[in-house]
Amino acid sequence: MDFAMSDKGQDYYDRLTDFMVEHVFPAEASYDAYREEKGPKDHTVPPVVEELKKLAKERGLWNLFLPSVSGLTNLEYAPLAELTGWSMEIAPEATNCAAPDTGNMETLHLFATPEQREQWLEPLLAGEIRSAFAMTEPAVASSDARNIQTTMLRDGDDYVINGRKWWISGAADPRCKILIVMGRTNPDAASHQQQSMILVPTDTPGVSIERSLPVFGWQDQHGHCEISFDDVRVPVKNLLHEEGSGFAIAQARLGPGRIHHCMRAIGVAERALALMVDRVNNRIAFGKPLAEQGVVQQQVALSRNEIDQARLLCHKAAWVIDKKGNKEARNEVAMIKAVAPQMACNVLDRAIQVHGAAGVSDDTVLARLYGWHRAMRLFDGPDEVHMRSIARAELGREKSALAAAVNRQSARAVTG
């Protein structure tokens, strides 16, 4: 495995770094001021984001996540996504690489009809609209998607949708025009063939956004919504792929989406560590800088170790996706999805601790970044589900010659 940055990747990295330093970081104050002025219930985009999108397009820093558009491999994209994680509320959208749109664009790219692509994929790729992915439900344990109860029943030339979804990220944003909804089209089919995905425009009668849920008290600009579907009618042509393919589509969508979150989480952790180092070098306690305290040095060293370990695992998962495809990389993706959010939480927690009271306030970004990454241990599959997948793969793995040899030796020792 060679994780060295290609010449093309290095060029993008250098240009994106300049864009972050020259434009994105300076825009954070304007972004926060707009949101504070408008209040938590306002989900309109701060104007500075649209200004940044224009600049990113002009610099060719646009749709970097999609290999068929950018020409970048997943491994080449990983350091770029990490850079955007340094300003995760602004930079991913400024480069049109923000979730859930990235996963939805990948889904449409893979499974949409030409008509569906023209109507929805093209404006998403252009950054003209936003989208949401409606899968999770409040009444059932959505970590097992077979529990999904929303019904999507065929009635002539329409599907009629009834159900309730929640934590639907992005749906409160007035620019969100399309939902990809997962529901049950055939309750009598085999368990993994009961679900389908259907495109539902947000202005369809019967679609009601009930509320936007905060994360640890913080309202995201795009919202995390609870949505009800009451006799929602959409034409059959809005079906993605074919009936019963919902699980297959979800796996194709969630693989890259999960690793993109992990890439950005590494950038978040790097920002937290940078803030931690600056703080401990300049804060005096007990007559000397915090940086001279042994326990603080331990926290800094642990953070560097964990970040670099997570990065290597993330790059390995990206490399396997590039070489063998999403299906073959499922174990590596599960591993990094279990590792990266916990790593980010660890580093953020240490950064909060050395910042003292300032760390838990809104005077720094640390508290809300911690809230988001604690939530990340739940969305796109909770840690426990990924750990179960990893364990099952390990328990079912064919023994290597070395493992077989030591097992035989151990057996002989036990039996005498």
Side-chain angles (χ1 to χ4, degrees), residues 27-36 46 48-49 89-90 221-222:
E28 290 181 342
S30 175
Y31 181 95
D32 290 340
Y34 181 91
R35 297 221 55 217
E36 184 175 352
V48 71
V49 174
E89 290 180 295
I90 301 178
Q221 185 256 300
H222 310 291

Side-chain angles (χ1 to χ4, degrees), residues 13 46 51 79 102 130 148 165 183 189-190 214 227 255 257 275 333 344 355 404 413:
Y13 189 88
E51 295 170 11
T102 50
R130 294 212 62 176
I148 289 174
K165 303 286 187 179
I227 305 176
L275 292 172
V333 171
H355 278 78

Side-chain angles (χ1 to χ4, degrees), residues 78-253:
L80 308 180
E82 179 181 326
L83 284 178
T84 65
W86 278 75
S87 186
M88 61 164 285
E89 290 180 295
I90 301 178
E93 182 174 3
T95 55
N96 213 38
C97 295
D101 290 323
T102 50
N104 292 340
M105 285 187 273
E106 286 169 321
T107 299
L108 292 169
H109 175 73
L110 290 172
F111 299 104
T113 65
E115 181 182 357
Q116 291 168 345
R117 291 178 185 175
E118 181 179 359
Q119 186 174 7
W120 302 115
L121 179 57
E122 293 306 320
L124 280 169
L125 287 170
E128 297 168 355
I129 65 171
R130 294 212 62 176
S131 62
F133 182 68
M135 181 173 175
T136 304
E137 298 183 357
V140 297
S142 297
S143 56
D144 181 356
R146 292 173 298 180
N147 289 334
I148 289 174
Q149 297 299 305
T150 295
T151 59
M152 304 192 298
L153 302 178
R154 181 77 178 262
D155 181 26
D157 293 331
D158 293 334
Y159 283 101
V160 181
I161 305 173
N162 283 282
R164 185 171 287 257
K165 303 286 187 179
W166 77 336
W167 292 105
I168 310 309
S169 298
D173 193 314
R175 297 167 299 161
C176 180
K177 302 300 182 184
I178 188 67
L179 308 172
I180 298 179
V181 182
M182 186 165 174
R184 196 180 296 270
T185 49
N186 188 353
D188 299 322
S191 61
H192 286 84
Q193 296 177 336
Q194 295 179 7
Q195 312 285 348
S196 302
M197 290 191 189
I198 293 178
L199 296 167
V200 180
T202 54
D203 61 0
T204 305
V207 176
S208 300
I209 296 179
E210 306 295 344
R211 58 174 176 154
S212 175
L213 295 121
V215 177
F216 289 100
W218 177 259
Q219 274 284 359
D220 182 73
Q221 185 256 300
H222 310 291
H224 304 292
C225 296
E226 184 169 355
I227 305 176
S228 60
F229 299 84
D230 298 314
D231 290 330
V232 175
R233 283 187 170 268
V234 293
V236 170
K237 67 178 182 179
N238 283 27
L239 179 71
L240 269 179
H241 199 38
E242 58 188 26
E243 276 199 10
S245 64
F247 274 91
I249 296 173
Q251 290 307 306
R253 181 190 185 279

Side-chain angles (χ1 to χ4, degrees), residues 28-65:
E28 290 181 342
S30 175
Y31 181 95
D32 290 340
Y34 181 91
R35 297 221 55 217
E36 184 175 352
E37 177 187 352
K38 293 294 185 179
K41 293 186 178 181
D42 185 281
H43 296 281
T44 57
V45 61
V48 71
V49 174
E50 295 297 341
E51 295 170 11
L52 290 170
K53 286 165 66 175
K54 293 178 183 177
L55 291 172
K57 278 186 179 180
E58 291 171 1
R59 287 160 173 73
L61 301 171
W62 193 254
N63 291 330
L64 304 175
F65 71 97

